[in-house]
Amino acid sequence: MESSARRDSPLMTPREIYERLDRFVIGQEAAKRAVAIAAHNHLKRVQARRLRRTSLLKKSNILLIGPTGSGKTHIARNLAEILSVPFTTVDATEYTEAGYYGKDVEVMVADLLFKANHSVEDTQRGIIFIDEVDKIARRSQGARNGAGSRDIGGEGVQQALLKLLEGREVFVPMNVTQTFNRGDFVPIDTRDILFICAGTFSDLHEYGGNVDTRPMGFGAQELQKVRRRVTTKQLVDFGMLAEFLGRLPVVVQLDLLGEPELLRVLSEPPDSIVREYRELLGLDGIELELTDDALREVVRFSIDKGLGARGLRSILEHVMSDVMFEAPEHRRRQVTVDQGFVRTRLAGLEASAGLGA
């Protein structure tokens, strides 16, 4: 009953989707706008197909290109929560083309079916996030005699994904742990499943691009702002099939997050790491204060190591480990973490090569 009411409610506008994304995703303004438009168009297409059998609207599958820790997965996960649809994350490198040992691409739909509590109806309007798609590029740079040109993990997977991205009825296993048991499967129509693919494409600059270059030195920020847009030709030269890219009409480039954005990531969103630590210590009756200089030290360490937003949690986990260990026995009601404390902890982390210097 609740599901039916939600489907009959007015569609969220791109601005409404953007504003809700903006609460949880720091920076990446252009990416959030593009994703919001694609999501709105996807909702319109689903609604049009539900109201009448035929529609000219095509799928708005998305390709996110950006460096590690720029928020690709974070955007996709929050989008699924905003749209109230099932969501699953898969790694493209785990899959092979049919006939080889490994997962068939239908298994990613089975993962979504599992996340939707085996509701076929909910599964057919969910979101599948496929990470590391740059790792399944066609590997045509083999030896001159042809050795190494047989591609199990690359072009074959792209070919297998075409039917899912375009929208076909596929048979998926009910039990994701028994993918080779074909006796227990269910048909799923992928026409209304939104696919969001993502990759760093870290060496795309070799094919005329400029993605994931880490500008350094004076004027680096200005150089980053004038970065050229990645073209379809560059992606094809990189090793992506033109047919595969044709089924990903929305291409979004994400920027490398700078110090101001990473500082906001730490403390501003409702689910930020700093808020989480304050709540954890608050359960022990302790008030936590992390100074601005301390947070800036964490951010600089993440930038130096090229970890982006993704690395902030692991860095802060190390910084706060002693505090969390001693917290339940603390007699003081307030704990202050300052720049000096963070520097000492990070020096020890660098010495032990815990995050790879």
Side-chain angles (χ1 to χ4, degrees), residues 260-278:
E261 291 86 6
L262 291 177
L263 279 170
R264 292 176 60 201
V265 167
L266 273 177
S267 56
E268 195 171 301
D271 59 346
S272 70
I273 312 169
V274 170
R275 289 175 190 260
E276 184 179 336
Y277 274 110
R278 282 180 178 147

Side-chain angles (χ1 to χ4, degrees), residues 5 11 25 30 52 59 93 97 106 108 126 141 159 176 193 196 204 222 245 256 258 270 281 292 310 323:
L11 297 181
V25 181
R52 57 183 183 274
K59 290 184 72 173
T93 58
E97 61 181 302
E106 290 81 7
M108 63 179 65
Q141 298 82 11
Q159 292 279 7
V176 293
I193 294 177
I196 302 179
L204 192 63
E222 285 70 20
L245 296 172
L256 194 66
L281 288 172
D292 291 342
R310 181 173 294 172
V323 175

Side-chain angles (χ1 to χ4, degrees), residues 68-69 301-312 314-315 355:
T68 299
F301 189 86
S302 178
I303 292 175
D304 288 344
K305 301 299 176 185
L307 300 173
R310 181 173 294 172
L312 294 176
S314 58
I315 297 169
L355 285 173

Side-chain angles (χ1 to χ4, degrees), residues 95-96 103-110 156-157 160-161 163-164:
Y95 297 87
T96 59
K103 293 182 181 179
D104 293 343
V105 293
E106 290 81 7
V107 177
M108 63 179 65
V109 184
V157 181
L161 281 170
K163 60 183 178 183
L164 299 184

Side-chain angles (χ1 to χ4, degrees), residues 45 49 59 105-106 109-110 120-121 123-124 160-173 185-193 195:
R45 181 179 181 276
R49 277 182 31 81
K59 290 184 72 173
V105 293
E106 290 81 7
V109 184
V120 173
E121 183 183 5
T123 301
Q124 291 179 160
L161 281 170
L162 293 180
K163 60 183 178 183
L164 299 184
L165 295 173
E166 183 178 12
R168 305 262 187 91
E169 187 175 77
V170 295
F171 292 96
V172 303
F185 57 83
V186 62
I188 298 288
D189 190 342
T190 65
R191 281 181 292 181
D192 290 337
I193 294 177
F195 288 87

